[in-house]
């Protein structure tokens, strides 16, 4: 059970595995007015930047779960680097069925709602770990602009236009799931650039170091096509944000 190597190659130089900058992650933490000692569960936690920096900055404690052994190892290294390894733990495993042993004050899935089969299922999964009055954090893409054709949809890695809401539709859907939206921090085009464009340098350096690898052809083709695809489609049509929810 692990992610394909292509994911870890693309994101080898990243701390945040979403189109979110460290500054925006810090803004989110400040906006939520987190109490020291708050327990956090972060499903599909990636390299653990949310848990590690919030443990340092806000005194949270908690657990991150991710299917990538490479990412969870990086998360443990980050916790040690920031001096918070006694407050956070990282589990290599399938987040799709993970429920906290004890209710938590913050249950998060930032950018990986496929673990619950989509947005609705992920909100229900987070609810299973949430203490009364707690916060759910959901990171989710949306249509910044409605795509005009199937080529745009495909270039944004969607099967159909209906796979995503626009921003008003997404916020309305949270309400239909019986949630109050109590905060949000949205990515912008620069956030997308810092996430996606940084992958190109990771891929190129990996190709230079591994020209004979069995993935070299696939990654070379990706590097050839990804920059144009991003500037033509993804940065124009895709939005992304983290939404803080409370049960009604």
């Amino acid at each position: 059970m692990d992610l394909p190597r292509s994911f870890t190659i693309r994101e080898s130089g990243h701390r945040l595995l979403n189109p979110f900058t460290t500054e925006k992650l810090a803004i989110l933490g400040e906006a939520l007015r987190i109490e020291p000692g708050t327990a956090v569960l972060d499903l599909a936690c990636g390299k653990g930047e949310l848990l590690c920096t919030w443990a340092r900055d806000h005194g949270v404690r908690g657990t991150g779960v991710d299917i990538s052994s490479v990412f969870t190892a990086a998360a443990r290294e980050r916790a040690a680097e920031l001096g918070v390894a006694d407050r956070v733990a990282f589990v290599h495993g399938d987040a799709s069925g993970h429920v906290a042993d004890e209710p938590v004050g913050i249950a998060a899935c930032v950018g990986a709602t496929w673990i619950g089969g989509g947005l609705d299922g992920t909100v229900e999964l987070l609810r299973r770990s949430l203490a009364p009055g707690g916060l759910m954090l959901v990171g989710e893409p949306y249509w910044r602009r409605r795509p005009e054709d199937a080529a745009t949809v495909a270039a944004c890695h969607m099967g159909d236009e209906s796979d995503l809401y626009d921003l008003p539709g997404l916020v309305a859907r949270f309400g239909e799931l019986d949630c109050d939206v109590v905060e949000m921090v949205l990515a912008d085009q620069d956030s997308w650039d810092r996430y996606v464009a940084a992958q190109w340098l990771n891929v190129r350096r990996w190709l230079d170091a591994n020209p004979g690898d069995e993935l070299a052809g696939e990654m070379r083709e990706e590097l050839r096509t990804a920059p144009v695809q991003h500037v033509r489609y993804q940065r124009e049509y895709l939005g992304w944000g983290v939404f803080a929810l409370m049960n009604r």
Side-chain angles (χ1 to χ4, degrees):
M1 179 178 60
D2 219 319
L3 280 180
R5 277 199 304 140
S6 57
F7 285 82
T8 58
I9 292 167
R10 287 185 203 100
E11 299 180 325
S12 58
H14 291 52
R15 282 184 174 166
L16 290 169
L17 310 186
N18 290 298
F20 218 45
T21 62
T22 55
E23 293 80 9
K24 287 184 180 291
L25 181 63
I27 288 168
L28 178 63
E30 291 290 340
L32 296 177
R33 303 191 290 274
I34 303 167
E35 293 290 334
T38 298
V40 179
L41 174 66
D42 190 3
L43 298 181
C45 66
K47 295 183 182 179
E49 192 71 1
L50 183 153
L51 266 175
C52 291
T53 57
W54 287 9
R56 177 194 64 191
D57 298 339
H58 304 289
V60 307
R61 57 185 176 83
T63 301
V65 183
D66 200 274
I67 199 170
S68 169
S69 58
V70 172
F71 294 163
T72 50
R76 294 184 191 105
E77 290 176 3
R78 183 64 166 154
E81 177 187 354
L82 297 185
V84 297
D86 59 332
R87 280 177 269 164
V88 296
F90 296 97
V91 177
H92 174 228
D94 184 358
S96 64
H98 191 97
V99 177
D101 293 334
E102 300 289 339
V104 298
I106 298 175
C109 178
V110 177
T113 55
W114 58 83
I115 69 169
L119 180 67
D120 295 14
T122 298
V123 169
E124 289 306 313
L125 176 62
L126 295 176
R127 277 185 167 133
R128 295 172 61 192
S129 294
L130 196 66
L135 290 166
M136 292 178 281
L137 301 181
V138 177
E140 184 74 351
Y142 56 86
W143 291 122
R144 182 171 172 265
R145 289 172 53 189
R146 282 288 180 183
E148 292 90 0
D149 52 40
T152 302
V153 173
C156 292
H157 306 295
M158 299 296 149
D160 188 85
E161 181 182 343
S162 63
D163 288 349
L164 295 182
Y165 296 95
D166 60 14
L167 183 56
L170 178 57
V171 172
R173 185 59 189 160
F174 289 131
E176 293 166 356
L177 296 173
D178 211 21
C179 297
D180 287 324
V181 179
V182 297
E183 254 296 355
M184 68 178 189
V185 177
L186 302 182
D188 54 26
Q189 287 178 305
D190 182 63
S191 308
W192 275 106
D193 293 345
R194 299 289 23 91
Y195 175 55
V196 177
Q199 295 178 17
W200 310 334
L201 183 58
N202 294 338
V203 170
R204 174 53 195 265
R205 285 181 169 165
W206 180 87
L207 284 167
D208 288 348
N210 301 276
D213 191 279
E214 62 182 3
L215 287 181
E218 173 187 332
M219 303 310 292
R220 165 52 61 189
E221 178 62 14
E222 180 175 310
L223 184 58
R224 186 184 71 82
T225 59
V228 171
Q229 188 176 58
H230 173 64
V231 298
R232 180 174 293 166
Y233 298 110
Q234 293 165 355
R235 80 187 306 270
E236 295 299 319
Y237 288 90
L238 284 178
W240 195 88
V242 181
F243 302 85
L245 317 173
M246 295 180 73
N247 285 321
R248 285 178 176 163

